[in-house]
Structures are given as structure tokens and as C-alpha cells.
Amino acid sequence: MPPPRTGRGLLWLGLVLSSVCVALGSETQANSTTDALNVLLIIVDDLRPSLGCYGDKLVRSPNIDQLASHSLLFQNAFAQQAVCAPSRVSFLTGRRPDTTRLYDFNSYWRVHAGNFSTIPQYFKENGYVTMSVGKVFHPGISSNHTDDSPYSWSFPPYHPSSEKYENTKTCRGPDGELHANLLCPVDVLDVPEGTLPDKQSTEQAIQLLEKMKTSASPFFLAVGYHKPHIPFRYPKEFQKLYPLENITLAPDPEVPDGLPPVAYNPWMDIRQREDVQALNISVPYGPIPVDFQRKIRQSYFASVSYLDTQVGRLLSALDDLQLANSTIIAFTSDHGRQSMDLVELVSLFPTLAGLAGLQVPPRCPVPSFHVELCREGKNLLKHFRFRDLEEDPYLPGNPRELIAYSQYPRPADIPQWNSDKPSLKDIKIMGYSIRTIDYRYTVWVGFNPDEFLANFSDIHAGELYFVDSDPLQDHNMYNDSQGGDLFQLLMP
Ligand SMILES: *[C@@H]1O[C@H](CO)[C@@H](O)[C@H](O)[C@H]1NC(C)=O
Ligand SMILES: *[C@@H]1O[C@H](CO)[C@@H](O)[C@H](O)[C@H]1NC(C)=O
Ligand SMILES: *[C@@H]1O[C@H](CO)[C@@H](O)[C@H](O)[C@H]1NC(C)=O
Ligand SMILES: *[C@@H]1O[C@H](CO)[C@@H](O)[C@H](O)[C@H]1NC(C)=O
Ligand SMILES: *[C@@H]1O[C@H](CO)[C@@H](O)[C@H](O)[C@H]1NC(C)=O
Ligand SMILES: *[C@@H]1O[C@H](CO)[C@@H](O)[C@H](O)[C@H]1NC(C)=O
């Protein structure tokens, strides 16, 4: 049934994946380049749903909230692996990490796994001008040191010149000296080049939008923001939004009793920062002093608000250029903890293709290493109601039918220095998780990195949490359940 038209003749819809919002205007199907919809894909690094639109009472995120208010907001969106490079390669190719064979940062899928098409590549091949600004692909080997150019992009990707200072000594400490700190509120006039990467990316993206205003071809613009990824290097005025006395601690700061050691993340990347080193926190379990916990949370929230202002500038420019009614906006994070329906980031590819009126790539056969264009995710088009959302709120389908999968590699059963980010050759164990609307179920099984084979009869540990009674996942019920049987039933 064709969608009824309401309002200003525009359709504002949303796709929110992981922390995502999509606004869609104009036609739902466009098969000539002149009336094709543009795509603006905003990717935020390490954003969890600490946003007003996800019910967070403390965090100030008015711009993202406004986008969400006329978007489809997914409440349960899951990354396929919560590490930058594997997550991005997964959702940008629409394939799971077991297909891209990227669990670390050290290989390029086109030579290592298969010559898989990416979302921007597909749009480019369908007549779009495709552009990358900031951190879209993870830089380095995993995108062949070129952000997958020339395949994905119409011209070379842009990287902000000031990103090279992110991990350097630019944070003024109480001693008056500059340090490479975790907590890094800065006076922007005072830092090298007098700017920050995300500000530069916004400016570049706006310039590209201005150019595309008169373009005969539709565009696909991906903008990748660095914050709130650590270090928390942000304009210091944002700290004032979050007085320390107003910052609560995490509701469950203790390591849960029933947590198997293999599941624990020793957050080694945080420990390397000078201000954290100075705390002499014991490895691997801590604890972090309570005052410092508050400061970490304060700076995370301040970084989110800073990011929000950048998103606001970008979206205002889209409005000012009168491109908002012809542009699909998808807003997502690569990972971060995610909290209607379960969706997976691997579904972004078919969904964006469908929304733009392009042919949705076919489902992947198993195995699919030889197939360049196919999808492992779902086309989520049916979630979009093509009508005014206020009059006809989005009605979820039957969420119980849905399952989201993710995975995480480990080098050992006990937390060690490389537990958060093991290289492929060091991976000994793979954690596979199933999330349904009712529970999260994980098995940690033996893994052979030479053969890329998981051995499901070699179970190292398990986790089972019930969402209703234990939303924060602090009470592992695995040993009380018939664990393995359930998993066998649910594996894809
Ligand atoms: C798509 O193109 C075909 C053939 O050019 C045309 O018949 C059809 O109406 C077009 N559909 C839309 C939605 O523009
Ligand atoms: C991989 O795909 C790209 C884009 O379609 C194509 O240009 C290239 O020739 C392919 N490479 C191989 C080795 O098949
Ligand atoms: C990766 O980059 C190198 C150097 O630019 C290039 O020679 C090679 O062809 C690229 N790999 C692929 C698969 O395109
Ligand atoms: C901090 O908390 C106090 C007391 O609840 C409140 O009045 C004040 O508005 C809060 N400040 C901010 C910046 O949220
Ligand atoms: C760090 O802590 C360890 C034990 O927790 C202690 O032995 C050591 O002296 C501490 N070092 C410093 C510099 O405080
Ligand atoms: C979008 O809005 C502008 C200005 O209001 C208008 O000129 C343009 O035709 C609209 N485009 C679409 C696809 O509706």
C-alpha cells in the first residue's frame, strides 16, 4: 500500500541503529538519478545511548534528540563486534565478522576474506557521488590505508589535520604541564592548530554539502566523528553542563560475582593514559577511585554534548541548503553499550539501499566468500511507516521473533594485557552472543585463528542474563540453566 502523504508533503522517518536516527524525505522509490534521495550517514565513535532521546535525564543532546523526534529510533540495536575496525568493516560491507574475518585491525577484507562490496561502493556504482569525512572506515591496514579507496569513494577521503594530536600531550594538568590524559577538557584557542578534529570534519562536510547543492548526481556523504571515544578531548566549556556534584556513579560499579573471567574487559587502553597511570589502579580488576569515576562520567557526557553541537551544525547546514527534504539521514555508533525491536548494524546496508530506492542486494549464500554483493543483514524497510509519525506512531512488529548476534575474541581465559584487542594469531576463544528481547546468552568457545573455526563443543564459559529481572546484566544465570542446549537451538 503506498504511503499517505502528510505535513508539508514531506515524510520524516527515522532509522536508528545502535544510537541511530534516519530522516527520510521525498519519494520512497527513486529510479532516476534526478529524483534520487541523498544519504547522510553519521557515524559516531563509541557512543552508547547516553542521549536524551534514549531517556537519559542528565545528558544534554538537543540536536540529536531533535533528529530522533522525527526519525525511527531503534531501542535495541547491536553492533556485531564492539571494536572499531571489525564493527565498521562489518556494517559497511553488511557482513558479519566471521565473514569479513576481521576481528582485529590487521587485515584488509578484499585480500583476506572476499572482495565484498561496501555500502558507499554500491551507491557509487548506482550513480551517487560518495564522500568520506573523518573516521568512517577505521584508518590503517583494515581499509588498505586508503579508507577503501578507490572502491568506496568518488574522491579521496578527508581526514582532519588536527586528529594527529588526539593522543599527544595537549591536556593541561593541575601541575600546569601538558599531558596525554584520559580527561582532557581544552581551551580550543590553546591547542595545536587552534581546532579539534570533529570541528574540522563538520566544516569540511558542510563545504561538501554546499558543493553538492548544485550537483546533478545524488550524494552519499559519510561523516565519522571521533568523540566520545577516549581520550575525552573536548572544549572545556562543555564541562560546565555537568557539575561533578550532579554526576551519579554507575548503578552497578562492582565486578559481578558470577562474571566469568574471560568476559571481563581489563580496559588496558584507559590505563595507558598519564592521569590514569598516576592512580596506580590494580590490574585487572581495579577498582577506580570513586572521585575519578565521577570525572570519567562527567567528561564522557561533556564529550557527547560537544559531539551533539557538531551534529547540530551539520544538520542546520543541510536545512539551510534545502537539502533536508531529499536526504536520508542515518545516525549510528560503531559500538558502545546499546539498550521495541532488536536490530543489527549489519542490516544498515540493505536498509539504506531499500530506502534510497536501489535494488536491495540479495541474501548471502553460505558460505559467501566468493560473492561480492550480497547481504547478511535484514532489510528493515518494513519498520518505516510512510506517514506522519505523530499521528500514527511506529508500531513494533513481533519482537520475539528477532535475535541479534554479536561476537568478541579473547586471547585467554583470564584477563591479560591484550584481552580487549587481541591480534588474530592470539585469539584462542570467541564469545558468541545471542540477544533476544528477553535475554542475553553468551558462550565462550575455543577458536582456531588459522582455520577461522569456532569449536562449540569446547565451551570455556557461559553467560545468561534475563532482561526483565536483571536489565544491567549483573546476575549470570548460566549455571542454573541448560545453557548449551539453548544455544544450539538458536545459532544461525
Ligand atoms: C522508474 O523507471 C521506469 C522506467 O523508466 C518508469 O516506468 C517508472 O515509473 C519509474 N518509477 C519511479 C518510481 O520513478
Ligand atoms: C574487486 O571489486 C572491485 C569493485 O567491483 C573490482 O574493481 C575489482 O576488480 C575486484 N577485484 C578482484 C580481485 O576481483
Ligand atoms: C591496497 O593498496 C595498495 C597500495 O596503494 C595497492 O597497490 C593495492 O592494489 C590495494 N589493494 C587492493 C585490493 O586494491
Ligand atoms: C545540578 O543539580 C541541582 C540539584 O538537583 C539542580 O538544581 C541543577 O540544575 C543541576 N545542574 C545542572 C547543570 O544540571
Ligand atoms: C601501586 O600499588 C601497589 C600495590 O597495589 C603498591 O605495591 C605500589 O607501591 C604502588 N605504587 C605507587 C607508586 O603508589
Ligand atoms: C525541497 O525543498 C526545496 C525548498 O523548499 C524545494 O525547492 C525542493 O523542490 C524540495 N525537494 C523535494 C525533493 O521535495
Side-chain angles (χ1 to χ4, degrees):
M1 194 174 67
R5 296 293 153 77
T6 57
R8 296 170 293 153
L10 310 180
L11 303 162
W12 283 102
L13 309 170
L15 159 68
V16 178
L17 292 171
S18 142
S19 327
V20 190
C21 319
V22 178
L24 167 66
S26 185
E27 297 290 331
T28 60
Q29 292 286 321
N31 60 1
S32 83
T33 48
T34 47
D35 61 0
L37 293 168
N38 306 306
V39 178
L40 174 60
L41 171 60
I42 302 173
I43 302 171
V44 183
D45 207 348
D46 279 14
L47 179 64
R48 62 182 201 170
S50 292
L51 295 170
C53 58
Y54 281 103
D56 194 301
K57 296 281 188 289
L58 184 68
V59 173
R60 311 286 179 91
S61 52
N63 296 291
I64 298 169
D65 298 348
Q66 195 195 4
L67 174 63
S69 72
H70 50 225
S71 297
L72 176 54
L73 183 77
F74 286 102
Q75 298 285 347
N76 275 298
F78 294 88
Q80 274 48 73
Q81 186 190 326
V83 174
C84 291
S87 176
R88 287 161 192 252
V89 166
S90 168
F91 72 72
L92 289 167
T93 61
R95 318 262 186 143
R96 298 175 194 282
D98 280 342
T99 309
T100 65
R101 295 186 161 172
L102 182 70
Y103 313 106
D104 60 12
F105 297 80
N106 305 325
S107 66
Y108 182 37
W109 75 90
R110 290 189 191 273
V111 292
H112 186 75
N115 194 25
F116 307 143
S117 295
T118 69
I119 303 176
Q121 177 189 344
Y122 188 60
F123 278 79
K124 187 177 164 216
E125 289 167 0
N126 279 279
Y128 279 67
V129 175
T130 61
M131 301 168 284
S132 172
V133 170
K135 183 173 169 181
V136 175
F137 282 100
H138 191 84
I141 300 173
S142 63
S143 55
N144 204 27
H145 299 284
T146 58
D147 302 279
D148 193 43
S149 287
Y151 309 109
S152 285
W153 310 109
S154 302
F155 35 83
Y158 170 86
H159 287 280
S161 57
S162 66
E163 81 186 352
K164 58 178 170 293
Y165 305 111
E166 277 292 279
N167 294 297
T168 61
K169 294 179 191 265
T170 57
C171 322
R172 184 108 22 220
D175 58 1
E177 302 294 317
L178 292 173
H179 298 277
N181 283 345
L182 173 67
L183 310 181
C184 192
V186 295
D187 182 342
V188 176
L189 296 175
D190 213 24
V191 297
E193 296 185 26
T195 188
L196 294 172
D198 288 344
K199 288 169 73 84
Q200 287 186 288
S201 290
T202 304
E203 286 151 16
Q204 173 71 13
I206 292 172
Q207 279 182 23
L208 291 173
L209 289 176
E210 284 164 354
K211 283 201 189 117
M212 293 319 293
K213 167 94 182 133
T214 52
S215 161
S217 307
F219 66 81
F220 180 105
L221 172 61
V223 182
Y225 285 114
H226 286 76
K227 293 305 105 179
H229 193 292
I230 62 168
F232 303 122
R233 188 165 173 267
Y234 60 93
K236 65 179 196 291
E237 53 272 24
F238 286 92
Q239 207 175 36
K240 297 202 187 74
L241 291 172
Y242 304 100
L244 271 181
E245 60 271 25
N246 285 28
I247 305 291
T248 55
L249 296 176
D252 57 346
E254 310 294 328
V255 179
D257 284 342
L259 188 79
V262 69
Y264 183 77
N265 179 337
W267 37 276
M268 302 309 285
D269 46 1
I270 289 182
R271 291 171 194 275
Q272 289 158 17
R273 315 284 156 166
E274 289 179 41
D275 49 350
V276 179
Q277 268 177 22
L279 299 169
N280 193 25
I281 299 167
S282 73
V283 181
Y285 291 112
I288 300 172
V290 165
D291 285 355
F292 201 77
Q293 290 183 30
R294 269 188 229 284
K295 288 183 180 166
I296 292 176
R297 290 165 68 80
Q298 175 190 47
S299 277
Y300 184 86
F301 300 147
S303 300
V304 171
S305 291
Y306 161 56
L307 159 79
D308 180 76
T309 61
Q310 298 308 313
V311 172
R313 285 173 67 199
L314 182 59
L315 297 181
S316 305
L318 197 72
D319 259 340
D320 293 347
L321 291 165
Q322 300 183 333
L323 289 167
N325 58 350
S326 56
T327 302
I328 300 166
I329 304 170
F331 180 98
T332 186
S333 180
D334 55 348
H335 46 94
R337 191 166 150 192
Q338 286 99 30
S339 79
M340 287 167 8
D341 281 6
L342 295 153
V343 297
E344 303 174 289
L345 292 195
V346 79
S347 296
L348 189 61
F349 193 159
T351 305
L352 277 182
L355 283 172
L358 305 182
Q359 193 167 26
V360 174
R363 284 177 198 285
C364 289
V366 181
S368 67
F369 295 107
H370 59 290
V371 182
E372 289 184 10
L373 181 66
C374 65
R375 61 178 166 112
E376 293 188 22
K378 295 189 176 75
N379 176 3
L380 301 174
L381 213 58
K382 71 176 165 59
H383 292 256
F384 292 83
R385 289 288 185 275
F386 294 96
R387 59 189 71 178
D388 190 288
L389 293 177
E390 280 170 355
E391 287 173 19
D392 189 359
Y394 165 71
L395 301 168
N398 180 1
R400 273 162 220 278
E401 293 168 4
L402 299 168
I403 294 176
Y405 299 92
S406 20
Q407 61 190 105
Y408 208 102
R410 292 285 191 224
D413 287 298
I414 303 293
Q416 56 181 52
W417 68 274
N418 60 346
S419 283
D420 355 2
K421 289 182 274 190
S423 295
L424 177 62
K425 66 175 170 36
D426 298 324
I427 297 173
K428 302 281 186 328
I429 300 164
M430 189 68 77
Y432 287 93
S433 291
I434 282 170
R435 177 66 156 72
T436 72
I437 209 74
D438 298 317
Y439 57 86
R440 192 259 281 192
Y441 188 82
T442 301
V443 283
W444 296 90
V445 302
F447 186 82
N448 175 341
D450 300 320
E451 308 286 333
F452 299 94
L453 277 182
N455 179 357
F456 282 87
S457 44
D458 177 23
I459 295 184
H460 289 236
E463 295 172 78
L464 176 62
Y465 305 97
F466 291 99
V467 173
D468 276 350
S469 54
D470 182 21
L472 299 174
Q473 305 185 354
D474 288 323
H475 304 285
N476 182 6
M477 308 297 281
Y478 179 80
N479 288 335
D480 305 339
S481 74
Q482 294 183 344
D485 300 345
L486 188 57
F487 198 82
Q488 292 301 334
L489 279 174
L490 291 168
M491 273 310 281

PDB file of all heavy atoms in Angstrom, residues 170 173 295:
ATOM      1  N   THR A 170      48.486  17.236  25.053  1.00  0.00           N
ATOM      2  CA  THR A 170      47.825  18.528  24.829  1.00  0.00           C
ATOM      3  C   THR A 170      46.848  18.860  25.951  1.00  0.00           C
ATOM      4  O   THR A 170      46.047  19.778  25.829  1.00  0.00           O
ATOM      5  CB  THR A 170      47.055  18.547  23.489  1.00  0.00           C
ATOM      6  OG1 THR A 170      46.111  17.468  23.486  1.00  0.00           O
ATOM      7  CG2 THR A 170      47.973  18.410  22.296  1.00  0.00           C
ATOM      8  N   GLY A 173      47.463  19.729  32.871  1.00  0.00           N
ATOM      9  CA  GLY A 173      47.188  19.093  34.163  1.00  0.00           C
ATOM     10  C   GLY A 173      47.232  20.113  35.289  1.00  0.00           C
ATOM     11  O   GLY A 173      47.569  21.279  35.067  1.00  0.00           O
ATOM     12  N   LYS A 295      34.603  11.765  37.467  1.00  0.00           N
ATOM     13  CA  LYS A 295      35.245  12.616  36.462  1.00  0.00           C
ATOM     14  C   LYS A 295      35.194  11.974  35.073  1.00  0.00           C
ATOM     15  O   LYS A 295      35.029  12.665  34.068  1.00  0.00           O
ATOM     16  CB  LYS A 295      36.695  12.903  36.856  1.00  0.00           C
ATOM     17  CG  LYS A 295      36.792  13.859  38.013  1.00  0.00           C
ATOM     18  CD  LYS A 295      38.237  14.184  38.318  1.00  0.00           C
ATOM     19  CE  LYS A 295      38.326  15.161  39.484  1.00  0.00           C
ATOM     20  NZ  LYS A 295      39.689  15.248  40.011  1.00  0.00           N
TER      21      LYS A 295
END
